Amino acid sequence: MTHDTQPRLFVTGSTGQLGRLVIGELLKQVPASSIVAGVRSPDHEVARQFSARGVEIRVADYARPDTLSSAFEGIGRLLMISSTAGDDRAAQHQNVINAAKAANVGLLAYTSLLHADTSTSGLAEDHKNTEAALRASGLPFVLLRHGWYTENHTASVPPALQYGAVIGSAGQGRFSSATRADYAEADAVVLTTEGQAGRIYELAGDESYDLTDLANTIASAAGRPVNYQDMPKAKFKQALVGMGLPDVLAELIAESDISASRGELEDHGRQLQALLGRPTTPYQQAIEAAVSVA
């Protein structure tokens, strides 16, 4: 593809944890002039850094539909990163879909949830509704169903070391996790590759593990005992809130553990590895790195 025919690529939520990594990957693959970063505030430090590298910055706030229509003008491919969990998430996604359709965006890629179509988790409902809205829109789209982020578990390393325990509600449920950087790289690959419309990717790490494995990995890296303590969902959520997590995030983590206990966060299709062209980052590597700085 020549520079003249390179479609303009738009990433929503580009100052967020995933979005900034996707932009970073795109900068390795296409000219900066082909990339547009959607932000809520152009004054954000990350937005300023992108702008300094030649990336165009446009305000695109999911909750403000008036910002979306103009933001998507001239865009060939759009990555819609799912909004933060909340009561209006599906409505915000619908705003993006409506604006993308009005702007004749050539392809919309959406970061959905692993096995969203069969998940029994309440957290899957917004993703199911968004996927249905995409199908109803008539827009060409591709679903990037992200699995568990290893960072969700590395965040538990400091309290695990402090109390000698990993807590959760997953029982023996297993997580096929990958790092946020792995997912971002795969998202960028799809966004820069032809022929993606209609595809559904179930993206997950190569290796699965349960929370006992996680505790053992932390213990081995730290050289001290760490055990897994399983508890009912309500008690686990209460403990997370007690650690200072917002209620919505605590609910997300606790509900995700229940999903894992039902086998919904395990996947052995290795579609993420195929997109990356390499193995996914081992969870042990990420955990050991977290222990080293805890």
Side-chain angles (χ1 to χ4, degrees), residues 18-282:
L18 177 64
R20 66 182 66 184
L21 293 175
V22 176
I23 295 285
E25 288 297 329
L26 290 175
L27 283 167
K28 299 175 185 177
Q29 301 180 40
V30 299
S33 58
S34 298
I35 305 170
V36 182
V39 303
R40 280 184 293 184
S41 171
D43 294 327
H44 193 289
E45 177 58 30
V46 174
R48 292 179 181 275
Q49 292 171 9
F50 290 150
S51 181
R53 297 184 66 180
V55 174
E56 182 181 352
I57 306 299
R58 297 184 187 177
V59 174
D61 188 333
Y62 288 8
R64 295 167 52 204
D66 57 300
T67 67
L68 300 174
S69 298
S70 57
F72 298 160
E73 288 180 6
I75 298 303
R77 299 171 191 166
L78 167 69
L79 176 64
M80 176 170 66
I81 294 176
S82 58
S83 180
T84 304
D87 293 339
D88 61 349
R89 176 157 67 166
Q92 290 185 4
H93 292 169
Q94 186 68 64
N95 289 341
V96 176
I97 293 168
N98 292 344
K101 185 174 177 63
N104 293 315
V105 169
L107 178 75
L108 192 153
Y110 171 59
T111 62
S112 188
L113 177 71
L114 185 69
H115 307 309
D117 54 336
T118 58
S119 175
T120 61
S121 170
L123 298 173
E125 286 306 307
D126 286 341
H127 295 291
K128 290 178 181 178
N129 290 338
T130 300
E131 291 187 5
L134 281 167
R135 291 188 176 93
S137 72
L139 273 170
F141 68 91
V142 52
L143 300 179
L144 302 165
R145 289 177 173 165
H146 286 199
W148 193 247
Y149 290 1
T150 305
E151 285 84 352
N152 293 333
H153 282 156
T154 59
S156 69
V157 166
L161 293 176
Q162 181 179 356
Y163 299 107
V166 169
I167 61 173
S169 299
Q172 295 180 318
R174 303 183 73 81
F175 298 79
S176 298
S177 78
T179 62
R180 192 173 278 110
D182 284 344
Y183 290 113
E185 185 177 334
D187 294 345
V189 168
V190 169
L191 210 59
T192 55
T193 304
E194 299 286 349
Q196 297 299 316
R199 296 193 178 188
I200 299 174
Y201 292 98
E202 303 288 356
L203 303 178
D206 296 346
E207 181 181 4
S208 69
Y209 57 94
D210 62 21
L211 295 185
T212 298
D213 296 326
L214 175 65
N216 290 341
T217 301
I218 296 172
S220 177
R224 68 177 92 161
V226 178
N227 299 306
Y228 172 53
Q229 181 180 346
D230 197 62
M231 56 183 63
K233 176 189 171 184
K235 186 176 180 181
F236 178 39
K237 178 182 176 180
Q238 183 181 20
L240 294 173
V241 172
M243 293 177 189
L245 269 65
D247 186 84
V248 170
L249 180 56
E251 172 64 25
L252 185 153
I253 294 173
E255 181 68 16
S256 295
D257 266 24
I258 299 301
S259 292
S261 73
R262 298 171 180 150
E264 295 173 356
L265 293 181
E266 186 175 20
D267 182 272
H268 297 288
R270 300 203 170 187
Q271 293 185 31
L272 179 54
Q273 181 192 99
L275 282 175
L276 297 175
R278 61 167 175 80
T280 60
T281 304

